[in-house]
Amino acid sequence: MGETIFTFSYPENSGFGSSEIHFHSGSPDLGGLFSEASDHPRLFVSDTTIASLPSLKDFVGSFAPEKNDSENDTRIRGNDILLILGSGERFKTLESVMQIVETALVHNFNRNCEFVGIGGGVICDMTAFAASIYKRGVDVSFVPTTLLAMVDASVGGKSGCDFKGFKNMIGSFWPAKTLHVWSDFVLSLPENEFISGLGEAIKTAFLFSPEMWRTTAENSEKVLARDSALLQNIIEECVKAKAQVVEEDFRERGKRSFLNLGHTFGHALESVAGLGTITHGEAVVWGIGRSLDLAANLSLCKKDYADGTKKVLAMYGYDMNPSPKILSDFNGDESNALIEAMKKDKKNQSSAIRVVMQKGLCDTVVQDVSDKEIEAVLR
């Protein structure tokens, strides 16, 4: 099993030091990575889907079910605890975050403990948020198991949960101390989860890497076939690109906001459709299509750039229709519902809607737009 290590630091005024990312090749081996010997207690957090993966069988099997806990799926191994939550966006709630906190409290975890999230973006976000508030903050580490978590959710310190049907309304900045990335986890993902993560990877490519954008545009068959070497390269490049942005702008007051390309539209679609109905990545890529048309309408980019980019995205199977197919039952009322949801986006700083757009490849701007301008690209 090969391994490379990449370290990036946070700004001096952020209150955080650095994150160390271990890129592993070969089959995931959590049993070997997290041996029973540890100088501090660890709370491992995963979900029912991830815990049932064959690659985690030995690791999960090393824990014994806790006899005195009939309400939660908690398991114990020495000083370590494994908490297995429900799987999916509908479990990304404040109640699940409190379940993590309560588990640590019941087992008398002190501030020297470590929370370890093993899973996709939902698990990583919630585990980090719980770590940030438990006894005013404890260390957190991740083993991202989805492509989305590897290229985006686990890197950079954003944590949180959904609230009242809206995405990530509660949270904090709390970066992981260590990340362990096995690209081979991607090989076992369901198709919709793979396509979801791929959307964030492609977004990162045309935000920051012309070379990677050409790779995804010219090698769709190999990417969709999950060519292991190609995916490992894409994952490492995405992680390093995002890490560089986070180093420059940890609190998202400048360049880091570019990573929200497609998210204002995408988060609205997730909320209107019902959280968990459409994957995050698919919603974001639909949102990128809308932001491209918006940029073209506002003469920020050439129509050829918008159309060419959407053609590549459609080649991967993403919905590029102005009115998303998943909202076909709304009978023409979907644009109003989407605009109202967009107004609740946490990135807005006034009554106007703030949208990330592009003038061209790797040439990105953030601009407030009117309801009328938004409506024009939703019909």
Side-chain angles (χ1 to χ4, degrees):
M1 181 179 68
E3 177 184 358
T4 59
I5 301 175
F6 173 72
T7 301
F8 68 97
S9 301
Y10 300 99
E12 291 184 4
N13 62 354
S14 69
F16 301 102
S18 62
S19 290
E20 190 173 85
I21 304 176
H22 298 248
F23 293 106
H24 303 273
S25 61
S27 299
D29 180 17
L30 273 68
L33 178 63
F34 298 113
S35 65
E36 294 190 26
S38 174
D39 59 358
H40 58 274
R42 297 173 294 196
L43 173 57
F44 296 94
V45 183
S46 193
D47 66 35
T48 52
T49 298
I50 301 304
S52 64
L53 290 176
S55 56
L56 266 72
K57 181 179 180 181
D58 290 342
F59 173 73
V60 173
S62 68
F63 291 80
E66 230 181 349
K67 297 179 181 178
N68 62 347
D69 192 343
S70 59
E71 295 184 1
N72 304 311
D73 189 353
T74 56
R75 310 182 187 193
I76 189 166
R77 184 191 68 185
N79 291 327
D80 293 337
I81 301 295
L82 171 62
L83 172 64
I84 301 176
L85 300 173
S87 177
E89 189 76 30
R90 67 190 182 95
F91 290 99
K92 194 178 183 182
T93 62
L94 196 55
E95 289 75 17
S96 293
V97 174
M98 290 299 101
Q99 193 173 344
I100 299 171
V101 170
E102 182 180 1
T103 300
L105 189 62
V106 166
H107 292 88
N108 298 315
F109 275 32
N110 57 33
R111 294 188 69 186
N112 190 42
C113 72
E114 178 185 14
F115 289 8
V116 183
I118 305 171
V122 170
I123 289 294
C124 291
D125 281 2
M126 292 197 301
T127 304
F129 185 33
S132 75
I133 60 177
Y134 183 69
K135 298 193 174 181
R136 297 200 177 103
V138 298
D139 286 342
V140 65
S141 294
F142 295 143
V143 180
T145 60
T146 66
L147 182 55
L148 179 64
M150 291 177 196
V151 302
D152 185 66
S154 67
V155 183
K158 287 185 179 179
S159 73
C161 62
D162 304 334
F163 188 69
K164 298 294 185 181
F166 294 100
K167 288 279 291 184
N168 302 325
M169 280 293 118
I170 302 176
S172 61
F173 285 93
W174 200 257
K177 181 179 67 173
T178 309
L179 293 90
H180 293 277
V181 179
W182 270 280
S183 60
D184 275 11
F185 268 123
V186 175
L187 303 180
S188 62
L189 287 178
E191 185 66 14
N192 66 328
E193 288 295 336
F194 173 69
I195 292 298
S196 177
L198 185 61
E200 286 281 7
I202 293 173
K203 175 208 74 177
T204 303
F206 67 75
L207 279 174
F208 303 116
S209 176
E211 182 179 350
M212 187 161 53
W213 170 248
R214 285 192 294 271
T215 297
T216 55
E218 296 171 3
N219 296 276
S220 60
E221 290 186 5
K222 288 182 69 176
V223 173
L224 291 171
R226 308 193 198 187
D227 180 274
S228 185
L230 185 57
L231 284 178
Q232 184 161 354
N233 178 260
I234 289 173
I235 290 167
E236 291 193 20
E237 289 302 311
C238 283
V239 169
K240 291 175 181 178
K242 183 168 183 181
Q244 183 177 355
V245 173
V246 171
E247 280 187 321
E248 296 177 23
D249 179 26
F250 180 64
R251 296 285 178 181
E252 200 176 293
R253 295 189 173 97
K255 189 177 180 180
R256 185 171 181 176
S257 65
F258 294 172
L259 291 165
N260 291 316
L261 179 67
H263 283 64
T264 301
F265 285 99
H267 281 171
L269 177 56
E270 288 183 86
S271 295
V272 173
L275 295 180
T277 304
I278 183 173
T279 66
H280 174 69
E282 289 175 296
V284 165
V285 176
W286 171 82
I288 291 173
R290 298 306 84 231
S291 71
L292 286 164
D293 280 349
L294 182 58
N297 286 356
L298 297 174
S299 299
L300 291 173
C301 76
K302 294 181 179 180
K303 191 173 186 301
D304 286 349
Y305 174 71
D307 290 344
T309 303
K310 288 191 297 175
K311 184 176 180 180
V312 173
L313 297 174
M315 189 168 60
Y316 279 93
Y318 297 109
D319 185 359
M320 289 291 104
N321 291 293
S323 178
K325 296 175 184 176
I326 200 166
L327 299 184
S328 58
D329 293 339
F330 274 63
N331 299 317
D333 294 331
E334 62 273 13
S335 60
N336 290 330
L338 288 165
I339 289 171
E340 287 305 307
M342 290 172 76
K343 289 179 178 178
K344 292 182 172 64
D345 192 279
K346 59 185 179 298
K347 295 179 286 297
N348 296 329
Q349 297 181 7
S350 67
S351 59
I353 297 173
R354 177 157 291 193
V355 181
V356 182
M357 293 174 281
Q358 286 202 302
K359 295 181 177 180
L361 188 63
C362 301
D363 188 0
T364 309
V365 295
V366 183
Q367 185 171 309
D368 289 344
V369 293
S370 68
D371 291 11
K372 186 176 181 180
E373 289 165 335
I374 293 287
E375 188 176 8
V377 299
L378 295 178
R379 298 186 182 278

